[in-house]
Amino acid sequence: MGKKEFGDFQTPPELAEALVKRLGPIGGRWARVLEPTCGRGNFLRAVLDSPHPPREAIGIERQSAYCNEARAALNGRATILEADLFGVDLSRLPWSGDGPILIVGNPPWVTSAELGRLGSLNLPAKRNVKGLEGLEARTGSANFDLGEAVWLKLLAKLSDQPATIALLCKSAVARAVLDHARRLETPITAELIEIDARRWFGAAVSACFLILALGRSNPTGRIAVFPNLEATAPVRTMGVVRGRFATDYETALAHEDALGGCPREWRQGVKHDAAPVVELTADGPGGPLRNGLGEVVDVEPEWLYPLVKGADLKRPARERPRRALIVTQRKLGDDTTAIATEAPRLWAYLNAHADRFARRRSSIYDGRPPFAMFGIGPYSFAPYKVAVAGVHRPARFRAVGLVAGKPIVLDDTCYLLPCSTAAEAAVLAALGNDPITLELLRAFAAPGSKRPVTKAVLQAIDPTAVLRMADRRAVVARGVETLVEDLQSLETNPEAMIESAIESLAPLLSPSGDPTLGRFDPESEPPHRSDEET
């Protein structure tokens, strides 16, 4: 298991030296230095070799071999403790004196979900530190990086003393830590320096060096972001706009009037975790359907729905693959055993592949009916929908309609708003593709995130406010284009159709309108996977 288990990305000495230099004279500001996951001790060596070293230094490392390497490299200049950080009482470290403390280093870059798949024991105690509720507490939104767990322990244990924490981490972790500190109202000042993770670690991930000083509040609340170690001026700032943490504060602030909240609930597409069995592809027009195992599938057609996946939304409707999805339920919790009598061929097919369903790892299926799905409700079968893929940069909103009289269903890489008419879907897609909406999505996206579009941000944006602020002629033009390209409408006067839908936008969005499309049932929501699980 080794390096994979421990999320082991040892910091090159050259990078450690550059980061320590960026911090300024160490001994002039901090009497003590702690490296909480010190590995070979490259950060400690850079600190102790600097022109102004601290009075004393301690490193904590779980792996014996690294402890021995660090002790040999540091030659007695630092105390190296062989221990699991999550079991260490930081108030009882063997310091010889007190004084301001600097915590510096590079915690592991691995998630709790990845560790679970590896069967690793290198995990902190399980607890819901973020206060998540319901499905989020049981599934992907509760997944966290091991480095994030290190951050949260340090924040919890050191917030009552003059301490500075300066750690390498994924940018998504830095954002989560800063938002955590904001929600707990922990007084901090911070700056973030972007790091080329591919150059230094061969890792295709957005990474940074986050420097966070405890006990001192920043009156502006803004956090400067520097593009590299040599930069003397920030390229942007991060901060809170309308109660939401933005990675591009200036852009979010410029469009904050559009952050009134969407009156209708955004949903996520169908989650099933059994793609080889339930996702089918046609062999061509009129050809048989095959599953991901190459088998021809012959089941009752009323249980099949045209499927659009997130990757398909990059293409116009006429260029999308012909896919179908077996949908086993009409709403969350439906008794699937009824399929045995209503669709015996489908029931036999599902049971023939029951092992695939049994191997689904997510705990959300525990105690559910056999072959259960999530993200299922009346909204799944709305005749029209606005859809956007959570994983695409830049975001592109599409309208989807009916195929051979049946509503399109979307997979769980997509978010959707259910609509009653083609014009409604076209207008909402046009507002989604407005520069105001797209800039807000970018401003709130975590840099390097594999899921830059999230339900939380979509839900924060009010389409009616976007309409008030947008260029109306451009909205109409995009709406017409959506009708023609996405919905392949043959309407003779599409401009008038779009104008009429725009005039009716407010009541169309009202959550008190169509109860099957606008009502929010939190238990029907599918889990939101974290970036690392996407």
Side-chain angles (χ1 to χ4, degrees):
M1 224 170 270
K3 290 189 175 184
K4 180 73 174 178
E5 175 183 0
F6 292 96
D8 191 348
F9 286 87
Q10 290 295 303
T11 311
E14 181 185 354
L15 177 58
E17 291 168 10
L19 294 171
V20 168
K21 182 178 180 181
R22 176 79 188 209
L23 290 169
I26 302 297
R29 296 177 62 189
W30 301 286
R32 302 172 293 164
V33 169
L34 169 67
E35 188 174 0
T37 55
C38 71
R40 297 187 175 99
N42 289 338
F43 263 108
L44 288 177
R45 185 165 56 182
V47 164
L48 294 167
D49 288 345
S50 68
H52 303 279
R55 186 185 66 231
E56 56 184 320
I58 292 177
I60 301 171
E61 174 55 46
R62 178 171 177 170
Q63 301 185 69
S64 297
Y66 281 162
C67 286
N68 293 334
E69 287 186 52
R71 291 184 185 114
L74 296 167
N75 196 26
R77 293 186 294 164
T79 300
I80 304 299
L81 305 178
E82 184 177 338
D84 179 355
L85 173 68
F86 298 111
V88 172
D89 184 348
L90 296 179
S91 66
R92 296 180 178 274
L93 294 177
W95 299 111
S96 62
D98 54 14
I101 183 171
L102 168 68
I103 297 89
V104 67
N106 181 12
W109 294 17
V110 65
T111 67
S112 58
E114 290 167 338
L115 293 174
R117 287 192 289 270
L118 289 166
S120 172
L121 299 177
N122 184 36
L123 274 169
K126 298 280 189 180
R127 59 192 183 96
N128 189 359
V129 294
K130 297 181 183 180
L132 297 172
E133 298 179 353
L135 285 175
E136 287 190 331
R138 296 171 53 203
T139 58
S141 290
N143 185 32
F144 58 90
D145 200 284
L146 196 59
E148 184 178 343
V150 172
W151 269 106
L152 297 186
K153 171 162 184 169
L154 295 171
L155 286 173
K157 301 300 181 182
L158 300 172
S159 59
D160 62 344
Q161 58 182 288
T164 299
I165 307 172
L167 301 178
L168 277 168
C169 58
K170 297 177 188 176
S171 298
V173 168
R175 176 187 167 112
V177 168
L178 290 166
D179 199 42
H180 180 76
R182 175 188 67 83
R183 286 186 285 108
L184 293 183
E185 299 183 347
T186 304
I188 62 168
T189 58
E191 67 178 50
L192 184 149
I193 303 160
E194 295 176 330
I195 299 295
D196 187 346
R198 189 178 294 277
R199 171 191 172 189
W200 293 108
F201 301 105
V205 65
S206 177
C208 67
F209 189 53
L210 177 60
I211 305 169
L212 193 154
L214 299 174
R216 292 179 292 169
S217 293
N218 179 353
T220 69
R222 300 187 194 182
I223 297 157
V225 179
F226 296 84
N228 52 59
L229 283 168
E230 294 74 34
T232 57
V235 288
R236 67 178 190 279
T237 61
M238 300 191 298
V240 177
V241 177
R242 295 283 184 100
R244 188 168 298 280
F245 193 82
T247 52
D248 186 341
Y249 178 86
E250 286 77 12
T251 298
L253 189 66
H255 301 306
E256 70 169 328
D257 288 345
L259 295 173
C262 183
R264 183 171 291 171
E265 193 74 21
W266 280 91
R267 306 286 187 164
Q268 203 168 350
V270 179
K271 178 178 175 62
H272 50 71
D273 294 313
V277 177
V278 299
E279 292 185 6
L280 312 178
T281 305
D283 278 350
L289 291 169
R290 293 183 184 272
N291 63 19
L293 306 174
E295 302 167 343
V296 173
V297 179
D298 178 21
V299 298
E300 288 79 359
E302 58 266 29
W303 297 81
L304 298 177
Y305 288 84
L307 170 66
V308 169
K309 298 166 70 71
D312 300 332
L313 293 177
K314 292 181 178 179
R315 308 171 180 176
R318 62 184 177 278
E319 297 178 9
R320 291 174 192 153
R322 293 179 175 85
R323 305 183 198 269
L325 182 70
I326 295 172
V327 180
T328 60
Q329 296 168 299
R330 296 299 180 268
K331 64 180 185 301
L332 190 72
D334 271 356
D335 181 8
T336 55
T337 59
I339 299 173
T341 54
E342 296 177 20
R345 297 201 308 277
L346 174 58
W347 186 249
Y349 172 76
L350 293 172
N351 278 283
H353 296 88
D355 61 319
R356 294 273 175 172
F357 291 91
R359 292 202 297 266
R360 297 189 291 185
R361 292 191 181 98
S362 178
S363 63
I364 64 170
Y365 301 109
D366 294 347
R368 299 289 180 176
F371 318 119
M373 295 179 168
F374 275 77
I376 290 290
Y379 53 89
S380 306
F381 308 102
Y384 299 95
K385 303 174 183 75
V386 176
V388 61
V391 296
H392 290 170
R393 267 193 183 91
R396 173 68 186 266
F397 290 77
R398 295 280 195 181
V400 298
L402 302 169
V403 174
K406 299 191 78 170
I408 286 172
V409 295
L410 298 143
D411 77 347
D412 67 339
T413 65
C414 302
Y415 300 100
L416 63 99
L417 276 181
C419 301
S420 300
T421 68
E424 178 190 357
V427 169
L428 290 175
L431 292 171
N433 290 318
D434 191 86
I436 294 171
T437 302
L438 298 179
E439 287 183 15
L440 281 171
L441 289 174
R442 180 182 60 78
F444 286 107
S449 168
K450 294 178 183 176
R451 191 179 280 263
V453 177
T454 67
K455 175 181 174 178
V457 177
L458 289 169
Q459 203 62 51
I461 301 172
D462 181 359
T464 57
V466 173
L467 178 59
R468 289 194 300 270
M469 300 163 64
D471 179 337
R472 180 163 175 143
R473 286 180 298 179
V475 172
V476 172
R478 284 194 300 271
V480 170
E481 180 184 7
T482 298
L483 275 178
V484 174
E485 181 176 298
D486 291 358
L487 299 174
Q488 299 179 304
S489 171
L490 300 177
E491 174 67 32
T492 57
N493 192 352
E495 290 86 356
M497 189 175 180
I498 294 299
E499 287 282 5
S500 176
I502 288 175
E503 292 301 322
S504 304
L505 180 60
L508 283 171
L509 281 173
S510 171
S512 60
D514 186 333
T516 66
L517 299 184
R519 183 189 298 133
F520 174 46
D521 174 9
E523 185 61 12
S524 71
E525 283 300 290
H528 287 217
R529 296 174 298 177
S530 70
D531 294 335
E532 289 74 20
E533 291 182 293
T534 302

